[in-house]
Amino acid sequence: MQTLDSLRQIRSAWVIKLAQDFARGEVIRDSFVEELNVFFDSIILAVAEANTEEVTHLLANWSNSLTESDFGQNEGTLVTICNRLFETMYEIARGLFNDQDTLALLITMLPVHTEVIISAGRLEKEKEIEQIKHELNHVREQMNRLDKSKSDFISIAAHELKTPLTLIDGYATMLREAVDLDINRGVVNQMLHGMDQGARRLRKIIEDMIDVSLIDNDLLTLNFQPVWIGQLIEILKNEFAEAVRERNQTMIINSFEGSKDMIFADPERIIQAFSNVLSNAVKYTPDGGMIQIDGRKLPGFLEITISDTGIGIDIDDQLRIFEKFNRIGDASRHSSGKIKYKGGGPGLGLPISKGIIEAHGGTLWVESDGYDESTFPGSVFHLLLPLRREPPDARIKELFGSIIDHNHAID
Ligand code: ADP
């Protein structure tokens, strides 16, 4: 058959031209040349037996691996690629044969070409539908997660808010009875103290919720001032002294390079961020354990580490704990105390700390060998803060001008 002869004659020129076109100056891979040859074989078969099954099968393989194969490098769709393969065939035929032979080849190839394009179009559509289904599943999963976090929020928030309210309610009732019974002042004071504690806990949870929503909406404003991290750590040490004593723990503060450097940061927010991490260190470390604060100066940053000898954190949870309303472990532990061993809170502490540190241009992460309540692998929280020598706001810069100049002179 004349067409088959013609096809065999144009084969090598066709392979070389396409390989060069697709390789665009890069080395032509043997596997790619092989793929072109397989396609040409399937076209010969389609012409010889008037059956495009083989070529359709090949296209299905291409369609599946299109994104990884040489054809996928922004060369367009399967239909475009197939058209290009046939057009190159006709172009080479025009150069090699006279008009009559070229026309004969075109006429024989036309039905094959049409069928290949129809198959390629169908495969492409199938692939697109598959992709859309995949995306839909992804969105569905996200919606489910959102739904779960919404119901987690409702149940945790309700539980968290209810606990201090019950406390206030209970003491208020007792107080009312105490007043009626004319009970002594000491007992009344105890009840007032209980109410006070409940109210404080309630305020803290509400403030944390407000902070999380500020962070979520990029509305956290920082009040930049000159700060010496070493001093803030001293303040925290005093703040936690009683809790550490109560839990029979040891808190070690190491002095480190950079702790005496003046940087610009929001001291209240930094204390809040550190305090959340420290109170977790106290809570998730057993009685008699150790908490250590250390740090080092890095180019442009200060890295502060807060490590403990506590229960540690599962590798799989090490990202999740920074998400709000994260619910690691037993939900009944929630709101069971500020410093009590394993006394979880609403799961807002770490997301707030991370939000504050990130608003400063830094980052916060944790390292732990895993969770184990018998071997206590411990956790190390890393807080990376930029060594900001000047405030971002020009007005504040003016206000603290002399301090900044003095520090530049020391630098
Ligand atoms: P919570 O209010 O529950 O303490 P956080 O956001 O402060 O919320 O912490 C989230 C979770 O991360 C905790 O419930 C706890 O499971 C885990 N976690 C945080 N810090 C530590 C730590 N130092 N050791 C072990 N687990 C920790």
Side-chain angles (χ1 to χ4, degrees):
M1 191 198 245
Q2 196 200 341
T3 306
L4 287 178
D5 281 344
S6 304
L7 280 174
R8 284 186 194 107
Q9 281 181 56
I10 64 175
R11 179 190 198 113
S12 61
W14 179 85
V15 171
I16 290 167
K17 175 144 184 33
L18 281 168
Q20 280 169 347
D21 283 0
F22 278 103
R24 282 214 198 98
E26 287 173 30
V27 181
I28 302 164
R29 281 199 284 114
D30 289 348
S31 60
F32 184 54
V33 172
E34 171 76 24
E35 242 174 305
L36 287 173
N37 274 309
V38 173
F39 178 81
F40 207 89
D41 284 342
S42 69
I43 293 297
I44 290 184
L45 203 71
V47 172
E49 297 183 5
N51 183 349
T52 54
E53 212 172 287
E54 188 78 17
V55 70
T56 306
H57 181 69
L58 183 68
L59 289 179
N61 286 344
W62 280 3
S63 164
N64 285 332
S65 59
L66 202 58
T67 42
E68 301 129 41
S69 87
D70 302 62
F71 292 110
Q73 293 168 358
N74 297 324
E75 288 300 339
T77 60
L78 198 59
V79 172
T80 317
I81 292 164
C82 287
N83 264 331
R84 190 153 161 204
L85 300 182
F86 280 99
E87 275 158 17
T88 307
M89 223 177 267
Y90 307 147
E91 195 184 312
I92 291 169
R94 270 198 300 275
L96 281 181
F97 313 128
N98 60 30
D99 286 354
Q100 203 182 343
D101 288 348
T102 306
L103 192 65
L105 179 83
L106 275 175
I107 290 168
T108 320
M109 291 305 291
L110 199 62
V112 178
H113 187 157
T114 312
E115 267 198 61
V116 166
I117 295 303
I118 291 170
S119 296
R122 181 177 48 77
L123 285 164
E124 231 166 57
K125 280 284 157 262
E126 281 172 9
K127 186 98 183 159
E128 242 173 75
I129 291 168
E130 206 180 289
Q131 186 68 25
I132 291 169
K133 270 191 197 158
H134 184 76
E135 276 166 25
L136 262 175
N137 276 341
H138 183 65
V139 172
R140 202 171 291 138
E141 264 170 38
Q142 275 184 324
M143 298 280 285
N144 285 343
R145 280 232 308 269
L146 203 69
D147 231 33
K148 186 175 175 316
S149 94
K150 240 170 56 190
S151 60
D152 275 359
F153 164 75
I154 292 167
S155 71
I156 294 176
H159 178 75
E160 287 292 326
L161 294 172
K162 212 171 135 192
T163 314
L165 259 183
T166 313
L167 202 72
I168 298 170
D169 228 21
Y171 280 119
T173 311
M174 281 158 67
L175 197 60
R176 220 171 292 122
E177 285 164 9
V179 170
D180 286 346
L181 294 172
D182 206 13
I183 297 251
N184 75 56
R185 200 180 174 82
V187 178
V188 170
N189 273 344
Q190 244 180 345
M191 291 167 189
L192 285 172
H193 177 69
M195 285 174 75
D196 202 34
Q197 264 193 323
R200 233 180 303 151
R201 177 88 195 114
L202 203 58
R203 177 171 297 119
K204 169 87 173 87
I205 296 166
I206 293 168
E207 280 171 357
D208 277 359
M209 284 179 166
I210 293 171
D211 282 347
V212 154
S213 98
L214 288 177
I215 289 165
D216 270 0
N217 294 296
D218 273 338
L219 289 173
L220 189 76
T221 45
L222 296 176
N223 187 7
F224 280 95
Q225 290 170 37
V227 161
W228 290 263
I229 289 296
Q231 278 187 2
L232 298 190
I233 292 176
E234 271 307 306
I235 294 173
L236 285 160
K237 186 187 165 189
N238 292 332
E239 228 173 69
F240 277 87
E242 198 186 323
V244 167
R245 204 177 317 120
E246 225 174 279
R247 296 287 318 282
N248 198 22
Q249 294 167 335
T250 323
M251 188 180 277
I252 297 174
I253 318 271
N254 292 341
S255 72
F256 55 91
E257 196 202 347
S259 68
K260 292 194 177 82
D261 285 16
M262 188 209 76
I263 59 167
F264 273 86
D266 182 331
E268 264 183 50
R269 289 296 187 186
I270 293 287
I271 286 195
Q272 186 185 3
F274 279 47
S275 177
N276 289 345
V277 177
L278 269 173
S279 85
N280 281 340
V282 172
K283 281 194 295 186
Y284 298 103
T285 300
D287 290 0
M290 192 174 76
I291 294 148
Q292 196 166 346
I293 306 181
D294 207 339
R296 60 180 174 153
K297 197 170 174 175
L298 297 168
F301 287 91
L302 263 188
E303 185 189 21
I304 300 103
T305 50
I306 298 178
S307 43
D308 62 56
T309 56
I311 56 176
I313 301 161
D314 202 284
I315 308 277
D316 291 342
D317 292 332
Q318 288 178 15
L319 285 179
R320 199 150 69 96
I321 56 170
F322 295 102
E323 288 170 16
K324 59 180 180 292
F325 299 112
N326 47 70
R327 204 170 192 162
I328 316 289
D330 182 3
S332 67
R333 286 191 347 232
H334 283 274
S335 207
S336 53
K338 203 166 171 263
I339 60 160
K340 199 175 153 195
Y341 182 40
K342 295 190 285 174
L348 294 176
L350 289 179
I352 291 174
S353 296
K354 194 167 195 289
I356 291 173
I357 301 288
E358 284 179 352
H360 277 84
T363 185
L364 164 62
W365 74 96
V366 68
E367 266 182 304
S368 171
D369 285 342
Y371 167 85
D372 196 319
E373 287 194 29
S374 52
T375 60
F376 302 109
S379 312
V380 185
F381 282 82
H382 298 253
L383 299 103
L384 199 68
L385 270 179
L387 275 167
R388 197 190 285 269
R389 301 295 193 187
E390 290 183 6
D393 189 320
R395 276 178 313 144
I396 299 177
K397 194 172 166 182
E398 212 172 291
L399 199 64
F400 293 106
S402 60
I403 299 183
I404 298 169
D405 292 344
H406 176 70
N407 268 282
H408 282 323
I410 294 172
D411 284 349

